[in-house]
Amino acid sequence: MVSKKRKQVFLSVSFCFAMTAASAGVTAAYLSRSPGEVCNVITAGAVEGKLTEEQWDPENGKNVYPGQSMDKDPVVENVGENEAWVFLEVAVPVETIALVDDTTGRKTEKEKHELFSFQADTDSWELLSHETSESQGSYLYGYKNVVEPGEKTEPLFHTVETVNYLEGEPDIGQDYGIHVTAGMIQNNMQTTNLEQIYREFLEQRKEDEKGGEE
């Protein structure tokens, strides 16, 4: 039996959040080791947004232990002049590791696991997709209401929790991170179906990128 108290092996974790982007052509959300660095908000149409996490403290990402819960509350503010639909994409790192079973305390077989979990606010946000690759789990959420200028969304979640990994399983020399990227599109839709609106967002973003290349 494996003791749940074996928590002397720690992970180093970075969380990346987005701020306002001037161009819709920004495509990547990069892991940041510095609290002063930012990722991006991807926009389509004449909208502008800001993504913040008031409760996240970068110091909490140092020496993270199995099962640790950390405050993290991504919120998108509409800082433009037009109504907008808002989306959040969350990318969680995946590793092939063994865990400690919370019920039996025994070691599980090595499998691919997302290193962090969260409970989304499904009253305010709708899960549009969840895909898992060799290296990450990708979640896409859409906000259920149009966000007016000057208004903010509800947080997608309030905390993230590290899986109860076995001592020494993850690569402690690697800096793991959760990427959170915001997408916004101007509200000129004739629908409230978030999947359809997201498709419109992707199409409008392509048109914006083409316009920027001309």
Side-chain angles (χ1 to χ4, degrees), residues 3 20 26 28 38 41 43 58 67 96 125 132-133 135 143 152 178 213:
S3 171
T20 303
V26 182
V38 296
V41 171
T43 60
T96 301
W125 296 86
T132 303
S133 69
S135 60
Y143 198 62
K152 298 180 180 180
I178 295 179
E213 294 173 355

Side-chain angles (χ1 to χ4, degrees), residues 123-143:
D123 290 334
S124 301
W125 296 86
E126 178 181 335
L127 177 63
L128 302 182
S129 66
H130 175 209
E131 300 176 352
T132 303
S133 69
E134 289 294 311
S135 60
Q136 71 178 32
S138 298
Y139 297 80
L140 175 65
Y141 287 89
Y143 198 62

Side-chain angles (χ1 to χ4, degrees), residues 8-82:
Q8 59 267 43
V9 175
F10 301 103
L11 292 177
S12 176
V13 182
S14 291
F15 293 96
C16 189
F17 65 93
M19 298 292 283
T20 303
S23 170
V26 182
T27 58
Y30 296 103
L31 180 65
S32 169
R33 292 177 180 269
S34 167
E37 295 181 25
V38 296
C39 297
N40 55 270
V41 171
I42 301 172
T43 60
V47 291
E48 188 176 7
K50 181 171 69 174
L51 173 56
T52 58
E53 296 173 315
E54 292 184 1
Q55 299 303 314
W56 168 243
D57 182 353
E59 291 298 312
N60 292 340
K62 298 178 180 179
N63 297 328
V64 175
Y65 55 80
Q68 180 177 350
S69 179
M70 294 165 284
D71 292 333
K72 180 176 173 67
D73 56 341
V75 170
V76 181
E77 181 181 2
N78 184 349
V79 297
E81 298 180 354
N82 298 301

Side-chain angles (χ1 to χ4, degrees), residues 29-199:
Y30 296 103
L31 180 65
S32 169
R33 292 177 180 269
S34 167
E37 295 181 25
V38 296
C39 297
N40 55 270
V41 171
I42 301 172
T43 60
V47 291
E48 188 176 7
K50 181 171 69 174
L51 173 56
T52 58
E53 296 173 315
E54 292 184 1
Q55 299 303 314
W56 168 243
D57 182 353
E59 291 298 312
N60 292 340
K62 298 178 180 179
N63 297 328
V64 175
Y65 55 80
Q68 180 177 350
S69 179
M70 294 165 284
D71 292 333
K72 180 176 173 67
D73 56 341
V75 170
V76 181
E77 181 181 2
N78 184 349
V79 297
E81 298 180 354
N82 298 301
E83 297 177 341
W85 291 99
V86 175
F87 302 91
L88 280 178
E89 182 176 356
V90 183
V92 180
V94 167
E95 288 282 357
T96 301
I97 57 174
L99 304 181
V100 178
D101 187 283
D102 290 331
T103 302
T104 65
R106 295 182 181 276
K107 175 183 176 180
T108 67
E109 294 294 325
K110 280 192 174 184
E111 296 179 318
K112 286 194 174 294
H113 293 281
E114 295 179 7
L115 295 185
F116 306 95
S117 63
F118 58 85
Q119 293 294 322
D121 175 5
T122 55
D123 290 334
S124 301
W125 296 86
E126 178 181 335
L127 177 63
L128 302 182
S129 66
H130 175 209
E131 300 176 352
T132 303
S133 69
E134 289 294 311
S135 60
Q136 71 178 32
S138 298
Y139 297 80
L140 175 65
Y141 287 89
Y143 198 62
K144 293 182 178 180
N145 297 311
V146 171
V147 182
E148 301 283 345
E151 290 186 348
K152 298 180 180 180
T153 66
E154 293 296 322
L156 174 58
F157 45 78
H158 292 274
T159 59
V160 293
E161 184 172 313
T162 313
V163 294
N164 196 12
Y165 62 86
L166 190 65
E167 176 186 351
E169 284 296 330
D171 180 1
I172 62 173
Q174 182 173 339
D175 192 17
Y176 295 98
I178 295 179
H179 297 180
V180 181
T181 307
M184 298 179 67
I185 185 170
Q186 185 174 343
N187 178 31
N188 52 11
M189 312 293 175
Q190 300 300 315
T191 179
T192 58
N193 183 287
L194 288 172
E195 291 185 359
Q196 183 175 341
I197 294 170
Y198 187 70
R199 289 194 293 269

